[in-house]
Amino acid sequence: MEVSLRFVMSGLLCLLLIATGGCSFKKDPANGKGAPVTLIEEMALPEHVASLDEVIAGDDEEKTIEALVQRKEELAALSRGGAVSALDLAIKHGKQKVAQFLLISGHSPFVLNQESREKLTYDAAMGKLIESAQLDGMMDILRSYPRKLHNGIVPDTSMQKFRDRIDEYKIGYRGCEMFANLLMEREYLSRELVHPGLYYEVFSQLNYREAFNNLLTDTSCANETSRFSTELINSWIGYEYLYQFQSSFKSIAFIKFLVGMRKGASLSIVVPADGWHQDNLGLISSQVNVSPLALLMLKKVCFANEGQLDEWVSLVNELQSGQDHSYPYFMGEKKPDSSVPCYGEEKYCSHDRANVANLHSIFRYMNPGTKIQQDTFYSMYTGERREFMAMTFDEFKTQICTEPKRRTFK
């Protein structure tokens, strides 16, 4: 009984030792009789390996960069993988030098998660760094845009290089939207870049509108336009509409392409009033909310045929639906006082005195140097020309239809 109890106790002790680090039996070195001697051997814990998040969060950015160089495969795996990239981590911890290193190493400035985009709205220095990198990225992509050869032919492989470069940057819908807006602002606003000389070779002889069209129809960005901001698309429509107004509405194709990008697109045009003014509703303002239909009808005398005007009228009525304007233009069926006739021109109601008076006001805002008085304007516009007028109809038409130096209003 005593022997059995000894074996039981010995077994329990061994199990306990195994659980706490292991046990082994060795001979007693003193007498060599093989008496069981229990030794407890400590097992070393594995050394902690800092995560990339912990590395990037470190205080010494130079050491962080050295560590990242040693872990480039892990960095690459992170950038391929999930919702958080190494650049996101650099933005999260406000590490500008680390962010610069990552951008120089090939990390796309367009691949950012929502947290990073929010952080950039109040981290001005980091925001400027990323914005500059995105601009450089777009310039790099544009360098691959096809240029015509001396014979005017564009090589078939050129567009593929442009597509590939867009895919390499993984610009996503936000990058596509940003890229498209850059091209539109260069086309209509002629905004100078921060360092325009650096990008002269990119923009030299570049057809911005053509590049915009190809970007959104012949690259991966074509699949992203449904996510573009409605406000931004509306601004593009406004740019093109003012350009068409200034060129007497020569072509409707491009604005129809823009309108087709967003159901429910709208058109709003506000111009400076050259001081405070009171409109026909009695509202006092320093700006004039111009009716797009009034701008169109002001150029009525410039259209070669009525069919072209009808197409524009249909489009504009769709774009300005439900809006109020400082100087409105009403077709016959929509006149507030519909019982009052349009004075013999029922289709467009372009002989209505209220409409023509508003057109004259808009003409003065668009051409502040004009000396045409309202009565003269009415007579010339409606064709009811009296004798002894100070100008001929051709002179009037020249003033209305002459293309001024392109101006845009924002």
Side-chain angles (χ1 to χ4, degrees):
M1 182 67 180
E2 183 180 346
V3 174
S4 299
L5 183 59
R6 186 183 302 137
F7 277 108
V8 170
M9 293 300 292
S10 177
L12 289 173
L13 181 60
C14 185
L15 289 174
L16 179 61
L17 292 172
I18 290 173
T20 59
C23 68
S24 62
F25 295 97
K26 298 186 179 179
K27 291 184 178 181
D28 185 349
N31 54 31
K33 294 181 178 179
V37 177
T38 303
L39 302 177
I40 299 176
E41 300 176 354
E42 294 186 0
M43 297 178 65
L45 294 174
E47 184 180 350
H48 173 70
V49 178
S51 67
L52 288 178
D53 191 1
E54 292 171 321
V55 171
I56 292 174
D59 294 331
D60 191 330
E61 292 193 62
E62 299 294 342
K63 288 185 177 179
T64 295
I65 293 171
E66 292 175 7
L68 294 179
V69 169
Q70 301 301 317
R71 299 171 68 168
K72 59 182 179 180
E73 292 183 3
E74 192 176 347
L75 273 178
L78 183 63
S79 66
R80 288 193 301 269
V84 180
S85 69
L87 187 56
D88 287 321
L89 295 177
I91 294 171
K92 170 185 173 183
H93 297 295
K95 305 298 182 181
Q96 290 186 52
K97 289 183 179 179
V98 174
Q100 285 179 317
F101 162 75
L102 293 170
L103 292 168
I104 292 171
S105 300
H107 290 253
S108 173
F110 301 100
V111 183
L112 304 173
N113 62 18
Q114 183 61 31
E115 183 181 349
S116 292
R117 287 189 289 271
E118 291 175 359
K119 179 83 185 307
L120 292 176
T121 61
Y122 56 84
D123 187 340
M126 185 69 80
K128 186 175 181 180
L129 172 65
I130 297 300
E131 183 180 342
S132 178
Q134 289 172 338
L135 177 59
D136 287 341
M138 290 186 286
M139 294 303 101
D140 187 38
I141 293 170
L142 274 178
R143 287 185 180 94
S144 67
Y145 186 76
R147 299 298 200 272
K148 292 180 181 179
L149 301 177
H150 294 298
N151 57 8
I153 298 174
V154 177
D156 293 338
T157 57
S158 295
M159 270 304 294
Q160 189 57 51
K161 292 178 182 178
F162 184 57
R163 297 185 201 102
D164 291 344
R165 207 76 184 109
I166 288 172
D167 294 341
E168 287 169 12
Y169 270 93
K170 303 176 185 177
I171 67 177
Y173 92 87
R174 293 179 186 277
C176 291
E177 184 182 70
M178 192 185 311
F179 201 172
N181 192 51
L182 170 74
L183 293 170
M184 291 296 270
E185 290 193 345
R186 290 292 298 178
E187 168 72 7
Y188 296 102
L189 303 183
S190 297
R191 287 186 172 179
E192 291 297 331
L193 296 171
V194 179
H195 300 295
L198 296 177
Y199 306 116
Y200 176 78
E201 86 287 1
V202 177
F203 287 124
S204 177
Q205 299 181 338
L206 178 66
N207 185 322
Y208 303 117
R209 193 181 304 198
E210 176 193 82
F212 174 92
N213 186 72
N214 285 335
L215 174 72
L216 300 186
T217 59
D218 201 16
T219 73
S220 57
C221 287
N223 303 319
E224 307 290 355
T225 56
S226 62
R227 303 175 68 186
F228 283 8
S229 159
T230 300
E231 182 181 359
L232 190 60
I233 292 175
N234 287 345
S235 73
W236 297 342
I237 293 171
Y239 295 157
E240 172 63 8
Y241 192 78
L242 280 171
Y243 170 68
Q244 287 299 327
F245 168 77
Q246 291 162 357
S247 55
S248 298
F249 297 96
K250 287 185 175 179
S251 174
I252 199 172
F254 189 62
I255 196 168
K256 288 182 76 172
F257 168 70
L258 295 173
V259 171
M261 292 174 63
R262 177 70 71 250
K263 185 177 181 179
S266 62
L267 177 58
S268 179
I269 299 173
V270 177
V271 299
D274 294 327
W276 293 89
H277 83 106
Q278 181 172 312
D279 67 15
N280 64 336
L281 299 177
L283 301 175
I284 298 176
S285 173
S286 62
Q287 295 180 319
V288 181
N289 183 7
V290 180
S291 163
L293 184 58
L295 286 178
L296 175 64
M297 295 309 297
L298 178 60
K299 298 283 186 171
K300 175 177 176 285
V301 297
C302 309
F303 280 87
N305 61 72
E306 200 171 85
Q308 292 177 343
L309 179 58
D310 288 343
E311 188 176 14
W312 274 103
V313 168
S314 176
L315 179 69
V316 172
N317 279 331
E318 174 188 341
L319 290 172
Q320 69 166 20
S321 176
Q323 297 183 42
D324 293 323
H325 302 98
S326 300
Y327 297 94
Y329 187 100
F330 294 106
M331 295 295 190
E333 70 278 6
K334 294 186 177 180
K335 283 183 61 179
D337 52 349
S338 55
S339 60
V340 178
C342 291
Y343 298 98
E345 204 288 283
E346 305 297 329
K347 182 174 183 179
Y348 301 119
C349 209
S350 60
H351 289 201
D352 179 76
R353 284 201 170 271
N355 278 342
V356 180
N358 288 341
L359 293 184
H360 179 254
S361 296
I362 291 171
F363 179 67
R364 286 190 297 107
Y365 284 120
M366 295 299 188
N367 302 272
T370 184
K371 296 180 180 179
I372 301 178
Q373 300 301 313
Q374 184 171 317
D375 286 346
T376 302
F377 185 91
Y378 181 87
S379 296
M380 290 294 172
Y381 184 82
T382 62
E384 299 176 6
R385 294 178 289 281
R386 304 174 188 144
E387 294 182 7
F388 310 114
M389 295 294 292
M391 65 169 52
T392 66
F393 177 72
D394 286 340
E395 291 172 334
F396 172 76
K397 184 176 179 180
T398 297
Q399 285 205 36
I400 297 293
C401 303
T402 296
E403 298 179 27
K405 182 179 179 180
R406 179 151 44 155
R407 296 178 300 157
T408 55
F409 303 91
K410 191 174 182 183

